[in-house]
Structures are given as C-alpha cells and as structure tokens.
C-alpha cells in the first residue's frame, strides 16, 4: 500500500478508494479557501469540518462494503488505514502550508511524520488508535512544535485517539534501548509524509545501532510479555469471553510472530517466512486464515459497539455471528458454530507459535526448555527417536512412517521419557494423519498404546491434549472430531467440549494420585479400593461425545460408545458398562441436585436405576469428575454434600435392601438428635415439641435445624414472625429460618421478601405443624454466589421484616430489579414444565426448567399459591443462566395433582408468568 496518499491510489481495498476519501475534492476545497484569502483560523475550522464529513462518509462506505463481504478483513483494515493516511496527510498539509507556512525552512526545521505500532503495520479497525512519531533532525524547533500541535488538535477534533511522540533519531535509539514497547513500535515505523531523508536515516540507525546483535534479548522480552498477557487474560485458549486482540491464540500472538520475524530475519511480510523454511505452505495458509478470521471479528466488534472493543462478550458473540452469516443448524445455535471456528483458529495460532519458537531455538536465538521429569536428567531415547533442543524428535521420518502405529506410539514414548515433542515431530504427525485408518484403529497394539496413555503413565492429560491439538485424537476416534473446539453457549460450561473432557480425565488422574483426598473422600476411597479403570477412563473420555446434535446427547453418546468401546479393545461386559455410564452420566447429578433427597422414593428410584454397587461406584466417580471439569468454582460444599448423601443412602439400600430406606428410621434418628440438643429443656416441653410435627418435617431437614425451629416456635404468638439467620457451611449458603402462624401462600411471600433483598435461593423447605404454625427454611446466597457476610445480615432481616409486615409489595418493587444484564441477554433456553406423580410417595413434583432471572422463584411460587397449591419444598439447581426449580406440592385437600386438566391449567399459568417475567427482564 502506498505511503503517499497524494501520489497513488492503493489496490485491494474493500471498496473504491474514491468512495473512502475524495482527494481531489479535499484539494479543491483547500485551494478555494486559500484563494478566497480565508483567515488561517477560519480556513482550519472549515477544513476540519470538511475532513470530519469525509471521515464519516469514508467509514460508512467501508462499513457498508464490509457488511456485504463480512470475512474480507484484509481489504477492510487496509481501507481504514488508507482513510487514516489521507486524514493525517491532510492535517499535515493544512498545518504546514496554511497555518504555519515556512517557504524556505532551515535544515533544523525539517519534519517527518511516521505511523508506528499497528497503524505503522497498516492494520486498523474502525476505532484503532492512531500512533504517530514526529521526527526532527535535531532538537525540536518552535516552528515544528507549532505544526505538530496544530496537527494534533485537528486530529482530536476528528475524534481520533492519537498516541504521539516527538523525537530525534538519537532519542529513538536511546528510548528504544530502555523500553521494548517503544522498540517494537519503532520496528513497525512507516513513513507517511515530510522530509524523506529522515526515513532512511532512522531505519539505518535502528538496524545498525539498535536491532543488530540484540535479537535474543528482544525475543525473550516479547515472550515474557506474551506470557504475562496470557496470564492476565485467563491463561486458557478456551475462555468463555475471549479477547480477540490480547487473548491466547489472538491477534497479538500473530503480531508477536511478525515482530520477531521482522527483527531477526528482516522480513516485511509474513509470507517470506515460507521462503526461509520457517513455515510450510500449508502452515502459512493456516496463518492467513486465522489472521483473516480474527481481524474480521475485531472489525465487527468495533462496528457493533462503535468503540475500540476487543472482548467477545456473550451478547457480542451473538451479534458478530449474525453479521458474519452464521445460522442455526444441526441442533446448534449460530453463535456456537461461530465460536467453534474462533477456537479452532486460536488453536492454529498456538501451533504456529510453537513451530516458530522452535525454529528460533534451532538458530540459537532463543533459550531452550529444560527437560521435563523429576530429576531433569537426559534420558536414553528409544530406537528411532532423538533429542533435539531438549525435545523428542523423530530420527528418520521415512522409517517412522513405515509403521503407521508410530503415529500413536510417539505420544507414549514422549510420556515415558518425560519430554515434550519437538515441533518437527508434531508437524510430521499432523501431516500424516490420513495414515491413521481403520487398520490402525483395529490394531491391538494401537489399542493398547491408546489405553496405556490414559492408564499407565500418570499424566493422561498431557497426552490427550497434545493428540487433540494435532488432530491425532480425532483421527484415531473420528467420532470425537465434531466436539473439538465446540463451545456451549450457556455460561455454565467454562470450556469447550473437548477441553472439558480432558479436564475430567485430568481430575480422575489427580484423584488416583491421591491429590484430592480431603476434597473428595468418597471418590478417593472408591478408587483406592479398586474399580475397573479401563471402563472409567473410556466412559469419561466418551461421556459428552454425543453433544452438538439435536438428539439427547446422553442417548446419542451411548450409541456412539457402543461402537467406539470395542474398537478400543474393551471386553463385551466392559463395553456394556461404558455404554450404560455414558447413557446415564447425568442421572446422579440430576437426582442429587433436582430432587429432594429426604424423600425415600428418590433414593429408591436411583437405587433401582443403578442396580449394583459396582455401577454406583463408577457413576459416583464419573459424576464428581464431570462436575469439577465444568470449570473453577462449580464444585462446592453443597454439591459435595448432596452427592455424598445420595451415595451413602443408595449404597445402604443396595446392601440392605430398598426397605432399609424409610422415613421411620430417619424420624427416630432426628428426634433423638433433638433431645440431645435440647437436654436443658423440660421433658414435658420436649414431648410437646416432638409431637407437634408431621413425619416429613423430621426427615426433610438437616441436623441442627430442628433445634433452631424448636427455639423459634417456643411461646410464639399468633401474629408474631420469628427469624433466624446463620451461615451454613455445608450448603455454601446463608440459612434463613422462619416460624410464624400458617396461612395460604406463605412460601410465595417469603420467596418475594428474599428476592427483594437480592438473595438468590438455592434450596427451600416449608412445613406446617399440627397446631397451625409454619416452619420454613431457605438457603440463600448473595449475587456473587456466596453466603452473606455477617455485617449484611441485619439489613437482610430488616427488609424481610418490612416485606412480611406488608410495607413493601414484592412484585411492584421487583419490577425494576429483575432486568437481565446486557451481556446475558443472548442466552436462550426453552421452557420445559413436567408433572411427576411417581417420584415421591405423597407429593407431585412440578419441575420447571427455564432461563434463570431475578425474581423467578417468587413468580412461580405466587402462581402456585394463587392456584391453591401447597408447596412443601423447592429444590433449585442452577446451571449458569439456566435453572431447574422442582416443587414438591399437594392440593388444598392434601392430595397429589392427578387431574390432567388441572396440570394443563397450571402449566399454562406458569408459562405465562415466565413469559411476563422474560419481557420485563429483557426490557
């Protein structure tokens, strides 16, 4: 692209240059004002107005053309650069010729203007910064200072964000030695206008006096900068809301390759790296595709937000996907297809970076990594392999490829040797994946190697991740390919499906190594006592393999597992267990989080489904790994307690028979515990307390809560409401206990009071005593998903008191509080409402699965109360932006809701309440 907008018209812009900036029109207007003898100030103001309108027209032309060709990033960034060049050149002409004319400047009054940084590289999005270097031969003169100041004020009036510096060549060398950021900006300098000999002088000085001989230092500085940038962005390539510029696998990583290449190899174009043998043609094609895609995303982000925005937030992901033409299909949303492409390009960037850095090591301009392994000692390499730059490489590629199984064996040998794979070896594998065919998949040695990668060498995560990044995992198990880089647009899952799977396997290996005994005592004990590890690892590897299709992923996954497990060398009975585990991998989690574990029917139904202790053990470990693998913070005390309780009670039922799970046993235990807790009470009062409650009260509350209610109920007046607030570490929540005279709709009122103070209800139970009092307990968290701090409890109590006294009407107050945050509005979940009369002995279970929002529980409870439905308990399971509220209910006569017409009427009312709330939240 030309550096002189006055001389030539550039090629390859997204639309004709004339539509972007009319140079002839600019020159004519400037000449007209000068000819009319306009005062300098008036001329400046009128020309700034002209340029501002020209900039608006140019940006609109680029935006329109880009909307029609939404992937054409190269022509778009060149167009923005060209427009900026024209405007900078125009302001310099006005300042130098008309505002501060100097027909015969002295040698010291020479001035050159350079674009530096991204602008110097010629890469601009709609709101990119304009970084300028004003260069003078010696100390800056008053005339040059006036020209620069006038230029900057005009550019600011054009609403550019300008970064600028005024220096001599000596200044550039001195500051470049001290600061690598300045050095990098200078590396990308591009002469725009002014005294051209300064361009030659600057670049000769930079090359001879700054760059030469400092290549190693520059590389180490850039790599340290990259590591710190990745750390700040979360350290993962697959973060939910990636930064397209600064994130791992983003544009800055590609730019770092370009900077280093230019610094060392003196190349101006990345394509020259193919000639130098750094990249193959195929790898360079990946470079161009990734660069084109990432720049297109960045340009769309700037245009959508009308500012310099580089973070792909959830709401923007939806909009960018739409602009780039992605559509819903194959059971997945457009945004999920878009983000899968994004992550695959990010992976390509990571691969290219690795290849490039190893080439630099080979040229001895970058320090080599140390060997992995306990003693960091050099191990003897197996035949056919060698160590190059402290990494395992293939000694003879032709001999290596003669045995196709070597394409898998190399991953095992690297694990055994404790070394990383050399990028040349990785390239060899990636270039020959077609050799991993059906004959390799059926080869017993290949099957052994693959299972041993997971089972034998103590670090299955490294082998699986490396195989996945190179495509070898999908080559060996083709059914795995669709879930590679597959994003799930729901906030709950922190990782793509393939990364989640590898995280799960990693967690299992950590439990086996004894690293999580305190956090996961039951899973640790199960593995220590021994299970079929082949079954467990294969089931974990395949548990989500059915995702991304319209069908239920558990059912489809089980069908896939039926084909894949035998191919991995598992015996028929092992294959059957793997298939069952994949089919029911959500069963334990659903039972624990969506059902009332105090209801004996829950445990009995689960025990019937599991059938034996072997399956229970395997499913428990798989469930724990699956929840932890979702992402940091997903596993907590509450989920741990639910899973442990369900495991212990199911194990008892399987060992002693289903009749061992009954209310009577639990009731007797709870009463005994209460008598011990209230040992100082009069025996008569104690007898009255144990006699006033119905059986579900005793079986449905955790230990310690009965004693709290006994004290609240003691001498309670008919118009009195007593509240107890305390942190409950087992629930990871604040426990709120209420005791008051019973009346219809009590659950709804209490839920409304809690919603008003912003409390998020995670579990709830209500009971009625025989003498007409209500005992209700809610477990709540604050907006950060943690228990309330002690200092906030008095205000919480005060607000609850006011609501219950009728001073505040929840629905009116909630109207302006239950709005969804903008970035969360893109999440869509279909509402599902089911009525289950089999899951409990005495209640109907109404399960509402929908989009979560503030005030939802209150709205649903109010519908039930208005319909004369009594809520005994509510079990709330939250999955990011999705929530499943399960209500255990009876009608006003104490009976289940068997009538189909009654169920349909209730469902209609619940859906209407959800839709009204969704409209308010979206407004």
């Amino acid at each position: 692209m030309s550096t002189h907008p006055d001389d030539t018209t550039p090629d390859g812009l997204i639309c004709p240059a004339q539509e972007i900036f009319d140079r002839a029109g600019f020159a004519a207007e400037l000449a007209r004002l000068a000819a009319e003898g306009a005062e300098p100030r008036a001329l400046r103001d009128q020309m700034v107005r002209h340029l501002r309108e020209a900039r608006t027209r140019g940006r609109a032309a680029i935006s329109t053309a880009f909307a029609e060709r939404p992937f054409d990033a190269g022509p778009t960034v060149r167009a923005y650069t060209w427009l900026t060049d024209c405007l900078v050149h125009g302001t310099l002409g006005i300042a130098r010729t008309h505002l501060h004319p100097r027909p015969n400047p002295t040698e010291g009054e020479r001035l050159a203007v350079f674009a530096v940084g991204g602008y110097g590289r010629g890469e601009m999005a709609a709101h990119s910064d304009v970084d300028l270097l004003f260069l003078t031969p010696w100390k800056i003169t008053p005339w040059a200072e006036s020209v620069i100041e006038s230029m900057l004020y005009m550019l600011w009036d054009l609403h550019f964000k300008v970064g600028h510096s005024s220096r001599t060549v000596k200044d550039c060398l001195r500051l470049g030695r001290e600061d690598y950021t300045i050095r990098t900006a200078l590396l990308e300098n591009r002469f725009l206008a002014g005294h051209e000999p300064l361009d030659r002088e600057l670049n000769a000085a930079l090359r001879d006096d700054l760059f030469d001989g400092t290549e190693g230092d520059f590389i180490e500085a850039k790599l340290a900068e990259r590591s710190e940038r990745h750390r700040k962005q979360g350290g993962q390539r697959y973060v939910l809301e990636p930064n397209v510029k600064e994130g791992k696998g983003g544009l800055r990583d590609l730019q770092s390759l370009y900077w280093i290449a230019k610094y060392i190899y003196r190349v101006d174009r990345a394509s020259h790296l193919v000639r130098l043998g750094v990249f193959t043609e195929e790898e360079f094609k990946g470079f161009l595709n990734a660069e084109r895609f990432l720049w297109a995303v960045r340009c769309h982000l700037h245009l959508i937000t009308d500012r310099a925005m580089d973070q792909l937030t959830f709401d923007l992901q939806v909009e960018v996907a739409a602009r780039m033409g992605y559509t819903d299909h194959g059971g997945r949303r457009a945004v999920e297809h878009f983000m899968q492409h994004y992550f695959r390009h990010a992976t390509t960037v990571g691969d290219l970076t690795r290849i490039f850095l190893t080439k630099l090591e080979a040229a001895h301009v970058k320090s080599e990594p140390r060997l992995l392994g306990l003693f960091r000692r050099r191990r003897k390499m197996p035949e056919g392999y060698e160590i190059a730059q402290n990494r395992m490489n293939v000694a003879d590629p032709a001999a290596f490829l003669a045995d196709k199984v070597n394409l898998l064996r190399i991953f095992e040998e690297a694990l055994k040797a404790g070394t990383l794979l050399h990028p040349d070896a990785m390239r060899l594998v990636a270039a020959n994946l077609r050799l991993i065919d059906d004959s390799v998949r059926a080869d017993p040695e290949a099957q052994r190697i693959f299972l041993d990668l997971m089972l034998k060498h103590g670090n299955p995560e490294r082998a699986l991740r490396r195989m996945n990044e190179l495509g070898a995992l999908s080559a060996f198990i083709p059914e795995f390919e669709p879930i590679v880089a597959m994003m799930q647009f729901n906030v709950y899952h922190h990782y793509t499906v393939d990364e989640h799977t590898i995280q799960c396997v990693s967690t299992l290996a950590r439990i086996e190594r004894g690293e999580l005994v305190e956090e996961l005592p039951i899973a640790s004990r199960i593995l220590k006592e021994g299970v079929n590890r082949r079954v467990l690892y294969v089931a974990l590897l395949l548990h989500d393999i059915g995702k991304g299709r319209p069908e239920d992923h558990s059912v489809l996954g089980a069908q896939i597992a039926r084909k894949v497990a035998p191919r991995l060398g598992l015996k028929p009975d092992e294959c059957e267990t793997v298939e069952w585990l994949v089919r029911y991998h959500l069963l334990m989690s659903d039972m624990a989080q969506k059902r009332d574990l105090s209801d004996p029917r829950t445990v009995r139904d689960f025990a019937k489904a599991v059938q034996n202790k072997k399956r229970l053990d395997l499913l428990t470990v798989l469930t724990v790994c699956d929840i932890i693998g979702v992402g940091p913070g997903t596993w907590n005390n509450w989920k741990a307690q639910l899973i442990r309780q369900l495991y212990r009670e199911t194990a008892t039922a399987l060992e002693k028979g289903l009749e061992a799970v009954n209310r009577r046993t639990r009731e007797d235990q709870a009463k005994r515990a209460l008598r011990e807790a209230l040992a100082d009470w009069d025996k008569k009062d104690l007898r009255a307390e144990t006699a006033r409650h119905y059986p579900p009260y005793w079986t449905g509350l955790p230990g310690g809560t009965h004693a709290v209610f006994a004290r609240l109920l003691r001498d309670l007046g008919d118009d009195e409401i007593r509240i107890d607030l305390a942190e409950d570490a087992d629930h990871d929540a604040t426990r709120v206990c209420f005791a008051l005279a019973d009346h219809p709709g009590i659950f709804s009122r209490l839920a409304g009071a809690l919603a008003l103070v912003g409390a998020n209800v995670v579990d709830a139970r209500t009971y009625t005593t025989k003498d007409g009092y209500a005992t209700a307990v809610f477990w709540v968290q604050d907006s950060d998903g943690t228990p309330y701090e002690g200092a906030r409890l008095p205000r919480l109590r005060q607000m609850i008191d006011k609501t219950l006294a009728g001073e505040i009407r929840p629905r009116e107050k909630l109207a302006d509080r239950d709005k969804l945050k903008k970035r969360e509005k893109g999440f869509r979940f279909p509402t599902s409402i089911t009525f289950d009369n089999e899951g409990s002995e005495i209640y109907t279970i109404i399960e509402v699965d929908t989009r979560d929002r503030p005030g939802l529980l209150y709205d649903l409870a109010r519908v039930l109360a208005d319909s004369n439905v009594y809520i005994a308990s509510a079990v709330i399971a939250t999955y990011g932006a999705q929530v499943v509220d399960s209500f255990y209910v009876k009608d006003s006569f104490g009976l289940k809701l068997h009538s189909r017409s009654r169920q349909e009427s209730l469902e209609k009312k619940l859906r209407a309440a959800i839709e009204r709330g969704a409209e308010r939240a979206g407004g």
Side-chain angles (χ1 to χ4, degrees):
M1 185 172 65
S2 168
T3 57
H4 301 277
D6 282 346
D7 301 334
T8 59
T9 301
D11 299 320
L13 304 183
I14 192 78
C15 57
Q18 180 69 14
E19 291 179 18
I20 297 169
F21 189 83
D22 180 2
R23 289 173 298 168
F26 167 79
E29 179 66 9
L30 186 58
R32 182 185 69 78
L33 289 169
E36 289 175 0
E39 289 290 319
R41 180 75 200 181
L43 180 143
R44 175 216 181 272
D45 290 348
Q46 288 199 52
M47 286 313 298
V48 165
R49 198 174 304 119
H50 178 92
L51 288 175
R52 192 182 295 136
E53 289 167 2
R55 182 180 185 231
T56 301
R57 281 194 303 274
R59 283 161 55 92
I62 296 169
S63 177
T64 302
F66 186 46
E68 292 169 7
R69 291 152 57 194
F71 281 87
D72 276 7
T76 302
V77 299
R78 285 194 291 274
Y80 281 121
T81 303
W82 166 249
L83 175 60
T84 309
D85 284 356
C86 291
L87 294 166
V88 170
H89 210 269
T91 57
L92 175 63
I94 295 166
R96 191 174 54 179
T97 308
H98 297 276
L99 302 183
H100 311 285
R102 185 64 55 107
N104 299 302
T106 65
E107 195 60 33
E109 288 177 326
R110 303 292 182 184
L111 175 67
V113 184
F114 293 79
V116 291
Y119 178 35
R121 199 166 52 247
E123 292 180 344
M124 298 281 282
H127 292 277
S128 292
D129 294 355
V130 177
D131 292 322
L132 297 173
L133 167 66
F134 297 99
L135 198 65
T136 54
W138 300 295
K139 187 181 174 192
I140 194 163
T141 64
W143 172 80
E145 211 165 54
S146 298
V147 170
I148 293 167
E149 185 179 346
S150 293
M151 257 190 88
L152 289 174
Y153 273 107
M154 283 188 275
L155 290 170
W156 288 328
D157 285 348
L158 294 175
H159 307 303
F160 277 117
K161 187 178 175 187
V162 185
H164 61 95
S165 55
S166 305
R167 295 179 185 138
T168 63
V169 172
K170 280 187 179 177
D171 291 336
C172 291
L173 294 176
R174 177 175 54 80
L175 292 166
R177 285 190 195 101
E178 296 168 2
D179 189 320
Y180 281 102
T181 304
I182 293 173
R183 194 184 302 194
T184 307
L186 289 169
L187 177 67
E188 300 186 294
N189 77 77
R190 178 169 61 90
F191 177 72
L192 288 177
H195 189 54
E196 200 158 356
L198 281 173
D199 177 26
R200 293 189 290 274
E201 185 185 339
L202 173 67
N203 283 293
L206 290 174
R207 186 177 59 250
D208 298 339
D209 301 333
L210 184 59
F211 298 161
D212 277 358
T214 61
E215 291 85 354
D217 292 343
F218 182 77
I219 291 168
E220 295 301 331
K222 286 290 116 187
L223 295 182
E225 199 178 275
R226 174 174 166 264
S227 297
E228 177 60 16
R229 189 175 69 250
H230 289 173
R231 188 191 65 74
K232 283 182 180 173
Q233 291 295 324
Q236 289 279 345
R237 192 170 295 129
Y238 301 135
V239 292
L240 283 177
E241 297 179 293
N243 187 305
V244 70
K245 181 181 174 186
E246 304 288 351
K248 196 168 187 179
L251 281 167
R252 188 66 88 204
D253 281 358
L254 281 178
Q255 287 159 2
S256 295
L257 298 187
Y258 173 75
W259 291 331
I260 293 170
K262 187 166 186 179
Y263 203 98
I264 294 162
Y265 299 115
R266 306 286 185 259
V267 298
D268 286 321
R269 291 173 171 272
S271 57
H272 295 164
L273 294 174
V274 178
R275 282 210 310 269
L276 291 165
V278 177
F279 292 138
T280 64
E281 286 285 356
E282 192 63 26
E283 286 161 353
F284 182 63
K285 188 177 165 192
F287 180 104
L288 287 181
N289 286 339
E291 183 180 48
R292 173 174 169 253
F293 183 88
L294 294 171
W295 262 110
V297 171
R298 189 174 185 219
C299 287
H300 286 299
L301 282 172
H302 281 217
L303 289 170
I304 290 166
T305 59
D306 199 25
R307 62 191 174 91
M309 176 65 169
D310 297 317
Q311 191 92 26
L312 258 176
T313 55
F314 294 126
D315 54 320
L316 292 173
Q317 288 171 20
V318 176
E319 290 194 57
V320 173
R323 275 177 172 250
M324 293 181 76
Y326 286 87
T327 57
D328 297 355
H329 64 274
R332 296 171 64 208
R333 291 183 61 184
V335 65
E336 292 174 320
H337 292 290
F338 161 64
M339 289 305 293
Q340 185 168 27
H341 285 170
Y342 179 90
F343 288 128
R344 288 190 171 186
H345 284 299
T347 302
T348 298
V349 174
D351 294 342
L352 293 169
T353 305
R354 192 168 50 237
I355 290 163
F356 185 60
L357 296 181
T358 311
K359 284 288 179 187
L360 297 178
E361 287 167 15
H364 308 294
V365 289
K366 176 187 174 294
S367 55
E368 298 178 353
R370 294 188 297 170
L371 275 172
L372 299 171
L374 194 58
F375 302 108
R376 309 283 182 193
R377 68 183 177 214
R378 190 175 292 274
R379 299 200 182 180
K380 190 183 173 201
M381 283 292 101
E383 190 179 344
Y385 300 96
E386 63 186 13
I387 286 288
Q389 296 148 285
N390 279 344
R391 294 185 180 90
M392 180 185 276
N393 204 357
V394 173
D396 181 346
F400 175 85
L401 294 174
D403 180 358
K404 296 190 282 192
V405 176
N406 279 334
L407 290 164
L408 293 178
R409 187 176 285 117
I410 188 170
F411 295 100
E412 183 180 37
E413 295 296 353
L415 268 192
K416 281 157 70 173
T419 64
L420 296 169
L421 282 178
H422 193 282
D424 287 349
M426 292 186 206
R427 291 162 106 174
L428 187 65
V429 171
N432 292 280
L433 292 174
R434 67 190 181 285
L435 298 178
I436 302 178
D437 54 16
D438 286 342
S439 68
V440 174
R441 295 179 198 113
D443 190 312
E445 175 64 2
Q447 295 167 356
R448 177 204 64 76
I449 288 168
F450 184 75
L451 288 178
D452 283 358
L453 282 173
M454 292 197 290
L455 298 167
K456 272 204 172 171
H457 308 295
N459 196 347
E461 177 187 357
R462 171 170 293 136
L464 289 175
R465 182 166 284 117
R466 183 61 75 235
M467 285 183 74
N468 190 38
E469 286 175 352
L470 295 180
L473 185 53
S474 295
F476 189 61
I477 305 175
E479 295 84 353
F480 197 83
E481 202 279 334
I483 65 170
V484 172
M486 180 188 283
M487 182 244 201
Q488 300 168 83
F489 193 68
N490 59 13
V491 203
Y492 179 61
H493 288 90
H494 293 233
Y495 306 115
T496 53
V497 181
D498 56 333
E499 179 62 19
H500 161 70
T501 300
I502 293 168
Q503 292 281 347
C504 291
V505 171
S506 171
T507 300
L508 177 54
R510 289 184 67 205
I511 301 171
E512 281 201 303
R513 292 196 296 265
E515 294 175 14
L516 299 171
V517 175
E518 277 190 35
E519 298 93 327
L520 307 171
I522 287 180
S524 298
R525 195 195 74 226
I526 289 170
L527 292 179
K528 195 174 180 185
E529 290 174 357
V531 293
N532 187 321
R533 297 173 66 237
R534 284 154 55 100
V535 165
L536 192 49
Y537 272 95
V538 171
L540 209 46
L541 182 71
L542 303 179
H543 78 282
D544 274 347
I545 204 162
K547 280 205 165 166
R549 266 70 52 106
E551 304 94 327
D552 180 329
H553 84 277
S554 300
V555 175
L556 183 60
Q559 293 166 1
I560 294 170
R562 190 184 306 159
K563 290 189 292 183
V564 174
R567 275 206 326 257
L568 298 179
L570 268 59
K571 298 171 189 166
D573 63 321
E574 292 176 323
C575 294
E576 189 184 327
T577 307
V578 166
E579 183 184 341
W580 184 88
L581 285 168
V582 174
R583 171 65 185 86
Y584 295 105
H585 73 271
L586 294 175
L587 179 64
M588 188 173 203
S589 174
D590 283 350
M591 281 288 197
Q593 295 184 74
K594 299 180 188 176
R595 289 292 177 264
D596 185 349
L597 296 184
S598 67
D599 192 319
R601 182 70 67 87
T602 302
V603 176
R604 280 193 216 141
D605 287 352
F606 182 61
K608 281 178 187 171
V610 174
Q611 295 182 341
N612 59 56
K613 178 77 161 41
K614 181 184 84 170
R615 279 185 175 177
L616 174 64
D617 286 349
L618 289 167
L619 184 58
T620 301
V621 177
L622 188 147
T623 301
V624 168
C625 294
D626 191 14
I627 295 173
I628 292 172
V630 165
T634 310
W635 181 260
N636 55 31
N637 290 345
W638 178 221
K639 284 177 186 163
Q641 184 181 306
L642 292 173
I643 297 292
R644 281 178 209 148
Q645 184 182 341
L646 183 55
Y647 174 82
R648 290 187 183 121
E649 295 192 6
T650 307
T652 302
L654 291 170
E655 184 187 340
K656 298 182 179 177
L658 297 178
E659 61 280 353
V661 184
N662 63 60
R663 286 184 184 274
R664 191 73 208 167
T665 312
R666 291 181 181 175
E667 190 177 333
D668 292 343
Q669 289 170 347
K671 287 180 178 177
R672 196 179 310 119
L674 180 66
R675 290 187 192 101
E676 288 171 9
L678 302 178
D680 57 331
W681 274 37
D682 181 78
K683 283 189 179 177
K684 182 184 168 192
D685 291 346
L686 208 48
R687 272 197 303 274
E689 177 58 28
T690 53
R692 81 194 298 180
H693 301 284
Y694 295 103
Y697 172 85
W698 299 106
T699 57
L701 290 174
T705 316
H706 297 110
V708 173
F709 276 124
R711 294 187 184 101
L712 291 176
L713 285 166
R714 201 173 195 183
D715 302 323
L716 180 67
D718 287 349
D719 56 353
E720 191 180 356
I721 300 172
R722 290 184 184 170
I723 306 172
D724 178 86
L725 289 86
E727 184 175 339
D728 186 337
D730 287 339
H731 270 72
D732 273 329
T734 299
R735 186 192 65 204
V736 187
C737 292
F738 298 93
L740 65 163
D742 191 27
H743 56 79
I746 194 79
F747 185 96
S748 163
R749 276 184 67 198
L750 298 177
L754 293 169
L756 263 181
V757 292
N760 183 28
V761 179
V762 293
D763 199 11
R765 302 279 184 279
T766 61
Y767 304 97
T768 304
T769 66
K770 294 171 184 175
D771 53 346
Y773 289 97
T775 52
V777 57
F778 290 77
W779 284 271
V780 299
Q781 293 175 335
D782 62 17
S783 55
D784 296 323
T786 56
Y788 279 83
E789 294 170 8
R792 296 172 67 189
L793 294 183
R795 186 183 170 275
L796 190 64
R797 177 190 289 271
Q798 184 185 17
M799 185 64 84
I800 292 166
D801 283 340
K802 281 186 176 180
T803 308
L804 294 177
E807 292 177 33
I808 301 170
R809 296 179 68 84
R811 181 67 275 153
E812 291 169 11
K813 270 283 185 183
L814 278 171
D816 59 348
R817 292 201 191 179
D818 52 9
K819 297 276 189 291
L820 290 175
K821 292 173 187 163
K822 183 172 182 283
R823 62 183 280 273
E824 295 175 357
K825 286 184 181 179
F827 300 112
R828 298 199 307 255
F829 299 97
T831 295
S832 165
I833 299 174
T834 59
F835 292 80
D836 176 7
N837 280 311
E838 305 302 319
S840 172
E841 289 172 5
I842 56 177
Y843 300 109
T844 294
I845 304 169
I846 303 177
E847 187 179 285
V848 182
D849 184 340
T850 191
R851 171 76 164 85
D852 196 14
R853 60 173 171 78
L856 174 68
L857 181 67
Y858 167 67
D859 284 346
L860 299 177
R862 193 175 173 197
V863 167
L864 296 176
D866 291 347
S867 304
N868 296 316
V869 173
Y870 166 72
I871 302 169
S873 62
V875 181
I876 293 104
T878 306
Y879 305 92
Q882 181 184 11
V883 69
V884 180
D885 288 345
S886 301
F887 298 95
Y888 282 67
V889 304
K890 294 191 286 193
D891 67 13
S892 52
F893 300 103
L895 302 173
K896 288 185 178 183
L897 309 179
H898 283 292
S899 161
R900 184 69 200 137
S901 62
R902 182 87 193 274
Q903 290 179 10
E904 287 172 356
S905 169
L906 258 183
E907 179 175 349
K908 197 173 174 184
K909 291 174 184 173
L910 289 167
R911 283 186 182 276
I914 289 167
E915 283 163 19
R916 280 196 304 272
E919 284 171 18
R920 281 196 310 273

